[in-house]
Amino acid sequence: MAAALPLAVLVLLLLGSGGRGHAEPPRDTLREELVITPLPSGDVAATFQFRTRWDSDLQREEVSHYRLFPKALGQLISKYSLRELHLSFTQGFWRTRYWGPPFLQAPSGTDHSFLRYAVLPREVVCTENLTPWKKLLPCSSKAGLSVLLKADRLFHTSYHSQAVHIRPVCRNARCTSISWELRQTLSVVYDAFVTGQGKKDWSLFRMFSRTLTEPCPLASESRVYVDITSHNQDNETLEVNPPPTTTYQDVTLGTRKTYAIYDLLDTTVINNSRNLNLQLKWRSPPEHEAPPAPFLHAQRYVSGYGLQSGQLNTLLYNTHPYRAFPVLLLDTVPWYLRLYVHTLTITSKGKENKPSYVHYQPAQDRLQPHLLEMLIQLPANSATKVSIQFERALLKWTEYTPDPNHGFYVSPSVLSALVPSMVAAKPVDWEESPLFRSLYPVSDSSSYFVRLYTEPLLVNLPTPDFSMPYNVICLTCTVVAVCYGSFYNLLTRTFHIEEPSTGGLAKRLANLIRRARGVPPL
């Protein structure tokens, strides 16, 4: 029995070594990308994307070993038969009018029978959201682009948004087999004038307090893209150090862009200086001129007076000089704002604009909000106003927040549209394109997909005077305490009659002293 054990171990070792020689290539890959873009307003936007793709059908195959794909998300897909998941945490507001259209958007679906859409407009984003997000990365925050994700620098920005996107991707044209794709994206906007001490120049160390030292060893692609497109059509305006090895030109969001590419897997990029600290300098200071307005942007506000009724207003701007295009508008309004659907009005250039599609789902008190979806045609070079009246409901006193006078938040409107492009795009390989084209590929080169979000609204509701119950409670407690204390005193106190005492030793001594002084005794 003792001699058989080493033989069995030897057979297992031989089988193991033979298996390694014919091991299959890994079925999962990791690609990490960073895009740095100087915005028209002078700010700097940094967009991270970590894309993990696994050639496995998690809903049909029994998977027990996870390499790059997070096990927690894989079990979520297989257990609940998840089709897609898009979860985002955003702090701040993307100013489309001054920053241009956003590079990455958080989609809300298409199929209403399987769609679950929810918004928390007042949720605070902090490091408790960033830490578990980083733990989903194969290299965590130890190597690669994720070393730049320093919490105290990311949250000290004008805009911060982190998201997780899970979706199936077809491997062939017939979609007989699928792969699961996980995208972790993070977008921040730095105020270059504040962080740069009055200068528009920036660098990786100035923005993130760190530099890049090595790529993630598990990544098959690790690149940094820097937008070096000149807004003034002057190629001598921007200077990037160190000089890029290659450049890339592409049509992004309807505009032709030029990007400097830094491949971290190229040993010459980091080995020359042992770290990579990208710097962008302006050879001539940028002119203080109004940034070009994007073709589509929106604005939302509340009008009216008093605490009984009001009106929700949404302004949709189409600044294209000669092209009209449709926009899908999605609104979710809390149940305590009772909408009057018959007051819905849409006007463009002073005329009524009838929507080609309207879907309305009324709210149920304390169960579900209002859902309003419309397809609106925006004329060229116009401003379209969508307005609807509402009445404020009176909540129960237990339903108010701890600070009810601050108001109640209403989630932003969602706009989805195919915006016409001024520059025709050539068909390219979507998998080889940077991050901003691979999430929403559009086969038609004459337009590009954009999803925008308006501002969240703050609405005041009829609020009772919560200080009055406090005053009543204090006064009542005081009266009860005084009355009960006096009554309890009378009931529990005992009275005794004390006989007058004749005095003691102290009195006799005092009388002796008084006689000596010639004073009458006590």
Side-chain angles (χ1 to χ4, degrees):
M1 191 69 182
L5 183 59
L7 179 60
V9 174
L10 178 61
V11 172
L12 290 176
L13 290 176
L14 289 176
L15 290 176
S17 62
R20 288 193 204 99
H22 300 83
E24 297 182 358
R27 300 165 58 187
D28 50 359
T29 57
L30 170 65
R31 296 174 60 180
E32 56 178 9
E33 299 166 306
L34 169 61
V35 176
I36 301 176
T37 306
L39 299 177
S41 61
D43 302 321
V44 179
T47 305
F48 294 83
Q49 177 173 265
F50 303 88
R51 179 168 56 175
T52 304
R53 183 168 178 174
W54 193 5
D55 296 337
S56 175
D57 193 347
L58 299 177
Q59 297 180 351
R60 298 180 181 179
E61 303 176 7
E62 294 184 0
V63 180
S64 59
H65 176 68
Y66 291 81
R67 180 173 171 264
L68 299 180
F69 203 92
K71 184 178 181 180
L73 298 181
Q75 293 177 343
L76 183 67
I77 295 173
S78 59
K79 182 176 181 180
Y80 296 99
S81 300
L82 193 66
R83 294 194 175 188
E84 286 191 34
L85 172 65
H86 303 277
L87 176 65
S88 60
F89 297 89
T90 304
Q91 181 173 336
F93 174 68
W94 183 272
R95 305 179 185 278
T96 308
R97 176 64 180 84
Y98 303 99
W99 296 345
F103 299 103
L104 296 175
Q105 306 91 13
S108 59
T110 54
D111 193 344
H112 291 281
S113 60
F114 297 98
L115 173 63
R116 300 295 183 268
Y117 177 71
V119 179
L120 293 176
R122 198 189 174 188
E123 188 69 18
V124 179
V125 183
C126 59
T127 55
E128 295 179 357
N129 307 115
L130 180 64
T131 301
W133 186 90
K134 291 193 295 186
K135 290 182 178 180
L136 297 177
L137 299 174
C139 290
S140 185
S141 58
K142 307 299 182 183
L145 300 179
S146 57
V147 300
L148 301 178
L149 304 180
K150 193 176 179 181
D152 61 337
R153 300 297 298 172
L154 294 179
F155 292 103
H156 189 64
T157 55
S158 303
Y159 175 83
H160 173 274
S161 178
Q162 62 188 67
V164 174
H165 306 278
I166 303 176
R167 64 173 184 173
V169 179
C170 297
R171 298 189 211 172
N172 49 40
R174 295 185 178 180
C175 203
T176 56
S177 59
I178 64 173
S179 302
W180 283 96
E181 181 185 73
L182 166 65
R183 294 187 183 220
Q184 295 179 246
T185 62
L186 189 145
S187 302
V188 292
V189 175
Y190 287 90
D191 190 341
F193 189 82
V194 174
T195 57
Q197 298 179 354
K199 298 181 180 179
K200 296 292 185 180
D201 303 339
W202 59 264
S203 66
L204 287 182
F205 185 79
R206 182 176 295 175
M207 290 191 298
F208 302 102
S209 297
R210 292 178 181 176
T211 58
L212 296 173
T213 56
E214 60 177 344
C216 175
L218 300 175
S220 59
E221 180 180 309
S222 181
R223 295 181 179 179
V224 178
Y225 298 86
V226 180
D227 187 357
I228 57 176
T229 307
S230 174
H231 300 289
N232 296 329
Q233 304 298 328
D234 184 5
N235 295 329
E236 301 297 326
T237 303
L238 302 177
E239 179 182 358
V240 182
N241 289 316
T245 56
T246 58
T247 58
Y248 178 83
Q249 291 187 353
D250 197 2
V251 177
T252 305
L253 299 177
T255 307
R256 188 173 301 279
K257 298 285 187 178
T258 303
Y259 295 93
I261 302 179
Y262 297 87
D263 191 354
L264 299 185
L265 297 181
D266 187 359
T267 56
T268 60
V269 174
I270 296 181
N271 289 351
N272 293 338
S273 58
R274 295 185 179 180
N275 62 22
L276 179 61
N277 183 24
L278 297 178
Q279 299 180 357
L280 186 143
K281 298 181 179 179
W282 295 85
R283 291 186 177 180
S284 59
E287 300 178 1
H288 297 281
E289 57 183 11
F295 287 156
L296 175 63
H297 61 279
Q299 182 182 359
R300 200 182 190 201
Y301 61 94
V302 178
S303 61
Y305 58 90
L307 294 177
Q308 181 178 0
S309 60
Q311 182 170 292
L312 295 176
N313 303 280
T314 305
L315 297 178
L316 310 177
Y317 296 94
N318 176 13
T319 61
H320 199 285
Y322 54 87
R323 288 284 299 274
F325 55 87
V327 170
L328 186 63
L329 177 64
L330 175 66
D331 264 336
T332 55
V333 183
W335 64 268
Y336 45 77
L337 299 183
R338 308 189 187 280
L339 298 182
Y340 295 141
V341 185
H342 71 280
T343 63
L344 176 64
T345 57
I346 304 175
T347 57
S348 298
K349 296 183 176 180
K351 299 180 180 179
E352 182 181 0
N353 186 347
K354 293 184 178 181
S356 55
Y357 165 78
V358 177
H359 171 73
Y360 174 68
Q361 181 177 341
Q364 297 182 18
D365 288 358
R366 300 172 180 85
L367 293 179
Q368 70 179 20
H370 302 269
L371 177 63
L372 180 61
E373 192 174 17
M374 297 175 289
L375 185 62
I376 306 172
Q377 186 76 11
L378 302 184
N381 196 15
S382 66
T384 301
K385 182 179 180 180
V386 181
S387 60
I388 185 171
Q389 297 179 9
F390 65 88
E391 181 180 350
R392 296 172 171 88
L394 184 62
L395 304 180
K396 298 180 180 179
W397 71 274
T398 56
E399 295 175 343
Y400 286 92
T401 58
D403 52 346
N405 292 313
H406 178 76
F408 292 79
Y409 283 87
V410 180
S411 59
S413 301
V414 185
L415 282 73
S416 305
L418 288 175
V419 180
S421 176
M422 294 293 290
V423 182
K426 297 181 180 179
V428 296
D429 186 3
W430 299 106
E431 290 297 324
E432 299 300 326
S433 301
L435 58 93
F436 29 71
R437 297 191 62 181
S438 52
L439 188 59
Y440 296 112
V442 180
S443 58
D444 187 6
S445 60
S446 63
S447 61
Y448 59 94
F449 179 79
V450 170
R451 175 163 287 149
L452 302 178
Y453 297 85
T454 63
E455 308 92 332
L457 300 179
L458 188 61
V459 179
N460 290 325
L461 295 181
T463 305
D465 186 5
F466 287 101
S467 63
M468 193 61 190
Y470 174 77
N471 297 334
V472 172
I473 292 174
C474 292
L475 179 61
T476 304
C477 292
T478 303
V479 172
V480 170
V482 171
C483 296
Y484 177 77
S486 303
F487 188 67
Y488 182 79
N489 239 357
L490 293 175
L491 291 179
T492 58
R493 178 179 297 178
T494 57
F495 297 90
H496 301 279
I497 299 176
E498 295 184 358
E499 297 293 338
S501 59
T502 58
L505 179 61
K507 187 175 181 181
R508 289 196 295 269
L509 291 175
N511 288 333
L512 291 175
I513 295 173
R514 292 173 71 88
R515 285 194 192 97
R517 293 182 177 179
V519 179
L522 296 175

